[in-house]
Amino acid sequence: MHQINCPWCGKRDEAEFQYQGDASVTRPKPNASEEAFFNYVYMRENPKGWHTEWWHHVSGCRQWVKVVRNTATHEVHTTGKPHDKLSKPKAGGRK
Ligand SMILES: [Zn+2]
């Protein structure tokens, strides 16, 4: 059973959360090209390994949580509030 550490509620079962997407993409500047906006809206990496993601604590405080998760093992390295800068571990995570 995996748990996610909500910055507001503490450790909770992952079933209380919903995955909401890639938290590493940043909105292009207003004068950026149409292609830049297309890529921002539609194009996503599908990485195997550490990934910075948005999770929504839907059955808890309903806040957005930033999560560094390993997509291969589902191990959660760290969590934070939306404006926190989170670092990924260097290695691929435990087996
Ligand atoms: Zn919460």
Side-chain angles (χ1 to χ4, degrees):
M1 190 64 70
H2 289 96
Q3 291 189 316
I4 293 175
N5 189 23
C6 175
W8 292 273
C9 306
K11 282 194 171 185
R12 297 298 182 91
D13 193 286
E14 67 162 293
E16 294 186 8
F17 297 81
Q18 253 178 16
Y19 174 74
Q20 295 291 337
D22 188 343
S24 67
V25 292
T26 53
R27 187 182 177 86
K29 292 200 171 11
N31 61 351
S33 67
E34 192 174 317
E35 185 186 4
F37 275 97
F38 179 88
N39 290 338
Y40 167 67
V41 173
Y42 296 110
M43 303 303 281
R44 292 292 180 269
E45 300 288 321
N46 187 18
K48 182 179 180 184
W50 296 107
H51 192 221
T52 305
E53 306 173 328
W54 290 119
W55 285 74
H56 190 205
H57 198 181
V58 287
S59 299
C61 62
R62 301 194 62 79
Q63 297 281 343
W64 289 75
V65 182
K66 207 184 253 186
V67 175
V68 175
R69 183 181 67 96
N70 190 305
T71 60
T73 63
H74 198 58
E75 180 186 356
V76 173
H77 171 62
T78 188
T79 61
K81 295 178 179 179
H83 290 95
D84 290 346
K85 292 215 182 299
L86 306 179
S87 60
K88 297 175 187 174
K90 284 182 182 138
R94 78 174 117 87
K95 296 283 184 284

